[in-house]
Amino acid sequence: PSHLDRAQLVLRTGPNELYLRENDKWAEPLDETTRRILTQDLQTRLTPKRIETFPWNSRDGVNWQIAVDVDNFEAQPDRTVRLNAQWKIIDFSSGQIVLSHRFDQRIKPASASSADIVAAMSQLLGKLADEISLSFVSS
């Protein structure tokens, strides 16, 4: 979501309130980090010949597309970190959606420190990769 498209770590403090930790900044844009980590996690779980992120260098050999739309990915007022996303697996040749699921999980970080919040975010991406890969393998 665009409210996360910033250098600072974003915390949700209420239903319509966000807090930016001005001194805690991402090393790269969050969407790039998320895409890279999720791709790495899927690569280790699925062990296909090749996983590429969109846009692809070549359309040759693309069989499946995994699309992920993130709605929430920040620390919550209840001191959890939430990842809420819709993901789908698409048959690339036909464009047909083969699977579509909503992922909505929370993890309580060890503390309110930025390092622990980011560690919880990483764990949630791993859980998302688990869910996608298990569904992908069983389809």
Side-chain angles (χ1 to χ4, degrees):
S2 60
H3 69 272
L4 299 176
D5 187 19
R6 59 191 73 248
Q8 302 88 352
L9 188 64
V10 177
L11 309 177
R12 186 166 293 280
T13 55
N16 299 310
E17 296 177 63
L18 300 173
Y19 173 74
L20 304 179
R21 286 204 172 159
E22 293 294 339
N23 295 323
D24 297 327
K25 299 189 170 116
W26 296 105
E28 64 184 342
L30 181 58
D31 63 336
E32 290 178 27
T33 300
T34 302
R35 187 178 309 113
R36 182 175 46 78
I37 297 301
L38 187 55
T39 300
Q40 289 172 354
D41 286 350
L42 288 169
Q43 183 81 46
T44 60
R45 287 158 175 81
L46 294 173
T47 60
K49 293 180 183 174
R50 178 178 90 211
I51 287 185
E52 292 185 27
T53 57
F54 185 82
W56 300 290
N57 293 329
S58 168
R59 296 171 70 121
D60 297 336
V62 176
N63 298 320
W64 304 100
Q65 179 180 0
I66 301 170
V68 180
D69 293 314
V70 176
D71 293 321
N72 295 94
F73 195 33
E74 68 262 335
Q76 301 294 305
D78 65 359
R79 300 192 186 275
T80 62
V81 175
R82 179 183 186 197
L83 174 55
N84 180 4
Q86 178 76 32
W87 63 268
K88 51 191 159 188
I89 298 174
I90 303 162
D91 180 316
F92 188 74
S93 61
S94 70
Q96 179 181 1
I97 297 172
V98 178
L99 286 171
S100 179
H101 288 274
R102 166 85 32 206
F103 178 91
D104 192 0
Q105 290 192 22
R106 296 171 187 248
I107 291 179
K108 184 164 181 129
S111 75
S113 74
S114 294
D116 285 338
I117 289 170
V118 171
M121 294 174 88
S122 181
Q123 287 178 316
L124 284 168
L125 285 175
K127 287 179 177 288
L128 175 60
D130 288 342
E131 182 175 292
I132 292 171
S133 61
L134 288 172
S135 297
F136 194 88
V137 170
S138 66
S139 66

